Amino acid sequence: MRVLVTGGAGYIGSHTVVELLTHGHEVIIIDDLSNSKKEVLNRIQTITQKVPTFYQGQVQDEPFLTQIFTTHSIDAVIHFAGYKAVGESVEKPLKYFENNLLSTIVLLRVMEQFNVHKLVFSSSATVYGTPTKMPLTEEDPIGGTTNPYGATKFMNELIIKDYCVAHPEMAATMLRYFNPIGAHVSGLIGEDPQGIPNNLMPFITQVAIGKRPELNVFGNDYPTRDGTGIRDYIHVVDLALGHVASLETMQQNKGYVVFNLGTGKGTSVLELVAAFEQANGVKIPLRIQPRRSGDIAENYADCTKSKHELGWVATRSLIDACRDSWRWQSKNPKGYNQ
Ligand code: NAD
Ligand code: UDP
């Protein structure tokens, strides 16, 4: 297939581009480089020996997007582009609503104009809000999101769902990611956060490399086995392969469909730190801090539906992910800014 990948220079997008190219698909990337670097394209080429077509610009720039659909006969779109920093979204809600919603609306409008009927959307476990039971299935209620970023994911799902009602020819797959970690095994591409990382794994790797003195553990008084928060950490390459599986099963999975992409297994903050230390033989000093506002105690996926309907399961272990995250960080101490 000829696949348009919005946000394809980002963390999950770049790993997905590698897997798409490896599986014989043709890729066209659109990215405004607001949270990524052009260097990632050279790295993708080194890994795959293939060159993805790249356009720098914003998805919501309709003339720009229309030009790309005119130039290339697109079969399917994977829509990763969006802002994702929860804290920033609380401070700048309009920035998040504008970018994350407008990009989807314009994308759907242009897809409609060019009769493109296949869409995969990057959703998130955050749409489940504050869940009352675990593990989470796709049938669990959504909404009740706790920040503007989460609200944009929920609202995007609604927009796409209603679009599908009006367009029965559509195949639109919402992939609800749990917590992506890890990097490509080559150590050539990985997560490259700007400034102080919000997420746990990049913070751990920055402590390991000596960029930060210690890890702040946000709360050890949750009702979990060791008191720290539990999440479902999924290797980013497994996640990328979930996108390939989604595209390749779209013929069967017509209409509006939703899948959880996780491992089905919960891991606490202290367990992740222990796995990282074991995998890499490095010590991570830590300090217990108060809970971070808006955090929930635990969150992990039931992935039965993905297994049966996508034929997809996560196969990489937590140790693999810890090793790959560290390989990426230690080979690229400054990320793509070498
Ligand atoms: P990322 O920031 O690394 O990648 C997003 C890319 O989109 C960046 O390269 C950025 O420059 C680009 N971008 C942003 N707005 C754009 C626009 N309007 N037009 C063109 N390009 C634009 O983030 P990621 O971690 O790879 O996440 C990809 C998607 O998955 C996002 O939609 C994110 O919300 C979602 N998601 C991520 C996580 C996670 O923990 N990383 C979890 C759940 C869902
Ligand atoms: N966390 C932590 N220290 C950090 C970052 C995160 O203790 O520096 C905890 C956080 O409270 C949560 C888990 O690690 O329990 C995963 O947080 P992350 O921000 O990576 O993902 P989230 O699930 O919140 O999107």
Side-chain angles (χ1 to χ4, degrees):
M1 272 186 237
R2 190 169 298 119
V3 188
L4 178 70
V5 181
T6 77
Y11 172 46
I12 306 170
S14 58
H15 288 81
T16 303
V17 167
V18 165
E19 297 309 323
L20 287 168
L21 292 171
T22 311
H23 284 75
H25 299 287
E26 201 181 309
V27 173
I28 294 127
I29 297 175
I30 298 181
D31 200 300
D32 65 2
L33 302 180
S34 56
N35 197 37
S36 50
K37 300 271 158 37
K38 219 173 171 181
E39 170 61 16
V40 75
L41 301 169
N42 299 327
R43 309 289 183 94
I44 291 171
Q45 190 179 345
T46 306
I47 296 170
T48 62
Q49 301 298 310
K50 291 179 183 169
V51 189
T53 306
F54 173 72
Y55 293 96
Q56 183 173 348
Q58 288 206 301
V59 177
Q60 60 269 43
D61 178 345
E62 198 156 348
F64 162 75
L65 194 64
T66 304
Q67 185 56 49
I68 291 167
F69 275 77
T70 307
T71 309
H72 304 275
S73 171
I74 309 280
D75 298 308
V77 180
I78 307 183
H79 184 31
F80 291 105
Y83 298 149
K84 63 164 183 177
V86 172
E88 189 191 39
S89 81
V90 175
E91 273 149 37
K92 299 176 182 166
L94 297 184
K95 174 176 171 178
Y96 275 68
F97 286 117
E98 182 175 7
N99 191 50
N100 292 7
L101 299 184
L102 212 51
S103 57
T104 304
I105 292 168
V106 171
L107 176 63
L108 287 171
R109 197 151 59 207
V110 176
M111 286 175 68
E112 179 178 26
Q113 194 190 330
F114 285 85
N115 291 312
V116 177
H117 305 310
K118 294 190 173 86
L119 174 67
V120 177
F121 176 69
S122 289
S123 191
S124 166
T126 194
V127 300
Y128 294 111
T130 307
T132 49
K133 69 160 232 331
M134 286 296 145
L136 287 159
T137 73
E138 292 83 352
E139 280 68 48
D140 283 319
I142 60 168
T145 44
T146 52
N147 55 71
Y149 164 72
T152 68
K153 290 294 169 196
F154 173 60
M155 291 160 88
N156 265 313
E157 287 200 6
L158 294 182
I159 290 168
I160 298 168
K161 191 174 187 181
D162 283 343
Y163 181 83
C164 287
V165 172
H167 294 83
E169 69 281 9
M170 275 295 286
T173 302
M174 307 300 102
L175 296 180
R176 293 182 183 154
Y177 312 154
F178 281 66
N179 288 56
I181 59 168
H184 191 264
V185 69
S186 62
L188 285 168
I189 57 173
E191 189 168 10
D192 184 18
Q194 310 301 306
I196 302 170
N198 297 307
N199 295 114
L200 180 57
M201 181 56 97
F203 206 105
I204 291 175
T205 61
Q206 292 199 1
V207 172
I209 205 150
K211 201 166 169 183
R212 317 218 169 255
E214 60 191 9
L215 171 70
N216 297 309
V217 175
F218 297 137
N220 67 347
D221 57 352
Y222 284 106
T224 60
R225 46 187 177 264
D226 62 17
T228 65
I230 288 184
R231 298 288 184 275
D232 186 340
Y233 295 98
I234 173 168
H235 196 297
V236 66
V237 174
D238 280 326
L239 194 63
L241 289 167
H243 294 74
V244 178
S246 297
L247 280 184
E248 293 180 350
T249 53
M250 265 188 169
Q251 234 31 49
Q252 299 96 279
N253 293 319
K254 274 227 153 182
Y256 176 86
V257 286
V258 178
F259 293 106
N260 284 341
L261 294 186
T263 65
K265 192 174 169 291
T267 301
S268 75
V269 175
L270 296 182
E271 287 165 351
L272 186 65
V273 170
F276 189 90
E277 291 181 335
Q278 185 201 327
N280 300 313
V282 291
K283 187 88 195 119
I284 304 297
L286 50 84
R287 187 181 299 267
I288 304 297
Q289 300 283 6
R291 292 181 180 190
R292 185 172 67 178
S293 109
D295 273 358
I296 56 175
E298 63 172 353
N299 202 15
Y300 58 95
D302 180 327
C303 299
T304 314
K305 187 179 176 199
S306 307
K307 182 178 174 185
H308 290 152
E309 295 178 30
L310 292 179
W312 172 92
V313 281
T315 59
R316 288 160 183 79
S317 69
L318 198 62
I319 294 286
D320 294 332
C322 290
R323 206 176 282 138
D324 293 340
S325 286
W326 180 229
R327 186 181 302 107
W328 153 253
Q329 177 74 83
S330 44
K331 282 178 81 164
N332 306 272
K334 294 181 184 155
Y336 292 111
N337 278 330
Q338 296 304 322

